[in-house]
Amino acid sequence: MKRIIILTVLLISSSLFAQVQFEAKVSKTTLGLNERLRIDFTMNADGDNFVAPNFEASGFKVVGGPSQSVSQSWINGRSSFNKSYTFILLPTQKGMLTLRQASIEINGQVYKTSPVKINVTNAVEIPKDPNEVPTISADNNIYLVADISKSNPYLNEPITVVYKLYFSYNIGISNWKELNKPKYNDFWSQNIDIKQLKAEDGTFKGERFRYVVLRKTVLYPQKSGKLEIEPLSLDIDCQVPTNKRNFWGQQLLTEDSKRVSAGSKVINVRPLPEKGKPEDFSGAVGRFDFQVKPSKTVLKNGESLDLNVSVVGAGNLKLFTLPKPVVPSALEMYDPVHDENVTTPLTGMTGRISDKYTIIPQYKGNYQIKPMSFTYFDLGSSSYKTITSQPITINVLDGPSVASSGKTNPNDVAKTKLEVAKSFAYIKQKTTLKPIAKEDFIGSGLFYSLVVLPFLAIPFFVIGKRRKEASDNDVVGNKIKKSNALAKKYLGEAKKHLGNKEPFYIALEKAMHNFLKAKLNIETSEMSKEKITEILLSRKANPETVSDFIQLTENCELARYAQSSDSAIQNDYDKAVVIISELEKQLK
């Protein structure tokens, strides 16, 4: 009896000390912005429903994992268990960052880890391991460069910034994300659309590289002195070759990442010379032609004319104002209508800007519009140039004349106003009249229509409800519809990832599985090679098409881990579309 009591006490005490432990362990608590962090979530009891923390919200990017390991041992009759989930992280920002809690369910109870604080500093130099087998690294094979067309332009002279990503022929670029967008303070900027990214051959630092033009921007400095262009920074996912080869002798690739920056650029902007600068200079820089044209010079009293003031050429067309005409007081001039027809290629703005003035004469006679002058700074000769228009004479044939005594005939004034009103009569030729007496809503046709309409809708409501109930009860049909919709969804998703191998083949494999579930009414667990072939052939499918379907399904898993080109991915997508279309026809 005494032994039983002692044994019971020992069992109870051992169960109390065998508490569940769930911890988060990191490889280091202080690291540079370019260093990687390993975090292990370990537990001493088996659990389910592991939920990792949101690493992106904590300022980290997952570059490896999750990988899972389980170990169990028996020592002197006592068992020990350990299970862990491992992630490799790369910080996306500096500062004191906090890794949030992870959770897992063990024996029906949810356990959480404690938050972990990580101090992320500036990028540090990572020493190389002397025993490491030399392989190609992304560090010296990927560069981001900002090409500036001119580093010392004049004020309002256009310059271009072209961002190029250079990478070695041994490197494959799979994806990139902008970390910092360039800022153009004190510049007028215009981005040039790049419709399609294309890799080209080039030379960088005396070596052959491939490069892609990522961004083109045209800049017009709006301030003289030293202006800084803040850098463009990218986070690049790439594939680099290793010293290992597969069964067929092909060199295996491994995933890597690198952060690159174009670096800040300083532009020394020269002010426009003060020598020879006219007083009416409005800031135009480039090469232009100036024109002043009236729509007509002979008109009757009450008629109007349009005076078009325009500048045509290449330069900062959107950044200066046109001169304003000066007309006699007998001519009434209205505010201009501004028009711009300007394009901005990589060489800078080019096109035409204009101001159109509407002018109406008040009295009979000849009136002169004074010559107009337009001054611009010519970049070719580094000097100011002035273009002066010819004087314009307006001849008004009839109407009241200006009395020399200064008195005006009231009848002539009234006649003049009437003629002016007629000249603008074309602006509004239609009227929308509303009756004063309105029909009451109660008792109208619309009133009775709204009363009767709900009763007429009852039969349609009943029929719709019955069809809805029938559709809900059709479990098999709904499952087929859902699988068919998923097949289309994943096939569309595969098309979006044509340039990204692994997500493409995952989506393509799901699309083909859901197509079979929709057409053959089978579950994923029943999808063996022999079962699919047997069912498809029994449904009168073409044996060649069935063979192509099975082969493509088997290739999806292999292609996810093997090296493949963009053309091979496109061929697999086209092949999947053809096979699914053929089976769609054959299985009807």
Side-chain angles (χ1 to χ4, degrees), residues 238-258:
C238 57
Q239 297 173 331
V240 296
T242 65
N243 58 340
K244 299 180 181 179
R245 297 183 179 274
N246 59 15
F247 178 78
W248 294 276
Q250 297 174 329
Q251 196 169 19
L252 296 178
L253 301 177
T254 183
E255 297 293 333
D256 200 357
S257 63
K258 184 183 179 183

Side-chain angles (χ1 to χ4, degrees), residues 306-309 334-339 354-358:
D306 292 331
L307 186 65
N308 201 344
V309 181
Y334 292 84
D335 292 336
V337 176
H338 185 74
D339 181 60
S354 64
D355 286 339
K356 184 169 69 173
Y357 295 86
T358 298

Side-chain angles (χ1 to χ4, degrees), residues 14 17 131-132 171 197 204-205 222 241 252 272 301 317 347 406 429 453 464 510 517 532:
S14 63
F17 285 107
N131 300 321
E132 183 180 1
I171 298 290
L197 297 179
F204 183 73
K205 292 185 176 181
Q222 300 299 293
L252 296 178
L272 298 178
N301 179 51
L317 287 163
T347 54
Q429 298 178 348
L453 187 62
K510 289 181 179 180
K517 291 170 67 177
I532 294 172

Side-chain angles (χ1 to χ4, degrees), residues 115-236:
V116 181
K117 291 188 178 296
I118 305 295
N119 183 23
V120 181
T121 62
N122 292 325
V124 298
E125 183 178 356
I126 303 176
K128 295 184 178 179
D129 186 357
N131 300 321
E132 183 180 1
V133 178
T135 58
I136 295 177
S137 170
D139 292 338
N140 299 321
N141 290 278
I142 301 178
Y143 300 92
L144 180 62
V145 177
D147 287 339
I148 309 292
S149 62
K150 195 170 185 179
S151 59
N152 59 337
Y154 277 110
L155 184 71
N156 267 312
E157 180 182 358
I159 63 173
T160 58
V161 183
V162 179
Y163 294 93
K164 297 179 181 179
L165 181 66
Y166 286 91
F167 53 97
S168 170
Y169 283 83
N170 299 317
I171 298 290
I173 305 296
S174 57
N175 190 24
W176 64 77
K177 180 179 68 174
E178 287 189 0
L179 295 177
N180 295 313
K181 293 185 178 181
K183 295 180 181 179
Y184 310 108
N185 298 325
D186 298 317
F187 288 92
W188 183 93
S189 62
Q190 175 70 55
N191 290 326
I192 307 298
D193 291 335
I194 300 177
K195 296 182 179 179
Q196 184 176 6
L197 297 179
K198 182 180 179 182
E200 300 181 20
D201 296 329
T203 303
F204 183 73
K205 292 185 176 181
E207 299 182 7
R208 294 178 65 246
F209 274 81
R210 288 184 297 168
Y211 72 90
V212 176
V213 176
L214 301 180
R215 183 191 290 261
K216 298 178 181 179
T217 306
V218 178
L219 302 177
Y220 284 84
Q222 300 299 293
K223 180 181 177 182
S224 60
K226 292 185 178 181
L227 305 183
E228 182 180 3
I229 299 177
E230 296 188 15
L232 170 66
S233 300
L234 302 177
D235 190 0
I236 299 176

Side-chain angles (χ1 to χ4, degrees), residues 22-25 39-42 50 53 99-104 111-116:
F22 180 44
E23 300 175 310
K25 299 178 180 179
I39 181 168
D40 298 294
F41 297 99
T42 62
F50 171 75
L99 288 169
R100 302 179 181 181
Q101 294 176 308
S103 65
I104 196 167
Y111 294 86
K112 295 184 178 181
T113 60
S114 299
V116 181

Side-chain angles (χ1 to χ4, degrees), residues 294-299 305 366-367 392-396:
S295 59
K296 51 188 173 182
T297 56
V298 179
L299 63 161
L305 66 92
N366 293 329
Y367 305 98
I392 300 172
T393 301
I394 306 298
N395 185 12
V396 183

Side-chain angles (χ1 to χ4, degrees), residues 26 28 39 61 68 88 117 216 234 244 318 385 398 411 424 449 506 561 580:
V26 294
K28 58 179 73 176
I39 181 168
K61 173 185 175 183
Q68 179 180 339
I88 305 298
K117 291 188 178 296
K216 298 178 181 179
L234 302 177
K244 299 180 181 179
K318 296 183 178 181
K385 292 188 177 181
D398 57 5
N411 295 331
F424 288 96
S449 299
I506 292 175
Y561 304 101
I580 290 176

